[in-house]
Amino acid sequence: MTKLRIGIAGISGRMGHLLVEEVAAAGAELSGGTARHGAEGVTVFPDADALFAASDVVIDFTNASAAEANAAAAARVGKPFILGTSGLSPAQEAAVEAAAKVVPLVYSSNFAPAATVLFALIEKFAAALPPEQFDAEIVEMHHRQKVDAPSGTAIMMGQAVARGRGKTLAEVGMESGRDGHTGPRATGPIGFAALRGGQVVGEHTLLFAGRSEHVSLTHRSFDRRVYATGAVQAAFWAARQQPGLYSMRQVMGIA
């Protein structure tokens, strides 16, 4: 049986090294990658088009600025694309959506299996706990090098709350950066607070706060490897799919 050839954008980075190990552990073939500073012991391609041409699927955990170009390369070459970068601008998200019309594309800010299950549970909680009775607040913490806030996972939590309440996140509204005399909390919007420090991989807590009770849902990542494992799982899944924009919920078969 022919092994699945998986390419890695940013193969010399922190996530790139973990992906190399997880590709081997899954029994796939590493086709190579792209790298800004070179990488030892692996094939480094000069550009994204060459990487996609040599691969059956490409995984990208680089940065938002590269996501648009890599999505376009996936569409040009016609190969599935796994994107795990957060902080995309509306224009970059539009480029991802355009590529998904041509190739299978799995896009998620969090490839951890337990986090994926949590998003589904959040929708159920939000549907049962109306905003008139329960305020939704999201607190997240990451390492000091993270450049975007709120995190992609926090936004996915907010989107899950909004879906559970029959709206989009834009319709519900986001509140962040409270400071000074803000007045009473408005009913409906979701609160976001972002903490940065140390080397925290990722911690996210959603709090539904009612007048007489509250419930909190928390996900903690202790090792970035969990994201690499999930992305490789998504690569095997995407290789069998038709063009479209998918999430980890579909990869895991969660309704």
Side-chain angles (χ1 to χ4, degrees):
M1 180 181 294
T2 303
K3 289 185 176 181
L4 185 72
R5 299 173 302 163
I6 298 178
I8 301 170
I11 198 169
S12 63
R14 181 166 50 189
M15 281 301 300
H17 288 300
L18 292 174
L19 285 164
V20 168
E21 295 174 0
E22 291 305 304
V23 166
E29 176 184 336
L30 178 67
S31 58
T34 55
R36 288 186 298 175
H37 306 297
E40 296 182 0
V42 297
T43 301
V44 177
F45 293 94
D47 53 46
D49 285 65
L51 173 61
F52 276 97
S55 308
D56 297 315
V57 187
V58 171
I59 302 174
D60 178 8
F61 275 87
T62 54
N63 54 64
S65 61
E68 183 173 355
N70 288 337
R76 281 194 300 270
V77 181
K79 298 292 180 66
F81 185 35
I82 312 301
L83 179 61
T85 300
S86 62
L88 270 61
S89 68
Q92 291 163 342
E93 289 186 345
V96 169
E97 292 170 359
K101 295 178 181 178
V102 182
V103 298
L105 197 157
V106 181
Y107 173 39
S108 179
S109 296
N110 194 319
F111 279 88
T116 303
V117 174
L118 181 60
F119 298 139
L121 290 175
I122 287 172
E123 288 187 25
K124 296 182 182 298
F125 272 84
L129 304 175
E132 295 79 15
Q133 299 176 25
F134 288 86
D135 299 315
E137 294 280 329
I138 297 170
V139 181
E140 54 100 342
M141 183 169 185
H142 284 83
H143 52 88
R144 66 196 315 273
Q145 291 86 10
K146 188 168 179 61
V147 298
D148 58 305
S151 70
T153 300
I155 291 173
M156 290 177 72
M157 279 183 158
Q159 291 169 335
V161 172
R163 282 195 301 271
R165 292 176 170 175
K167 296 183 178 181
T168 66
L169 183 56
E171 291 170 338
V172 170
M174 299 170 61
E175 287 190 357
S176 60
R178 297 187 184 105
D179 186 35
H181 186 73
T182 62
R185 189 195 196 284
T187 298
I190 301 169
F192 287 82
L195 310 179
R196 297 290 179 266
Q199 294 300 317
V200 178
V201 174
E203 295 186 6
H204 297 83
T205 295
L206 166 62
L207 175 70
F208 287 105
R211 181 175 180 178
S212 302
E213 61 175 340
H214 72 244
V215 61
S216 59
L217 303 171
T218 298
H219 180 268
R220 294 186 179 92
S221 295
F222 302 105
D223 190 334
R224 291 177 179 83
R225 185 176 300 277
V226 70
Y227 308 134
T229 303
V232 172
Q233 178 185 355
F236 276 90
W237 183 87
R240 306 189 303 270
Q241 306 306 313
Q242 295 298 312
L245 184 60
Y246 302 101
S247 71
M248 270 301 284
R249 287 180 64 165
Q250 289 158 303
V251 173
M252 295 180 64
I254 300 173

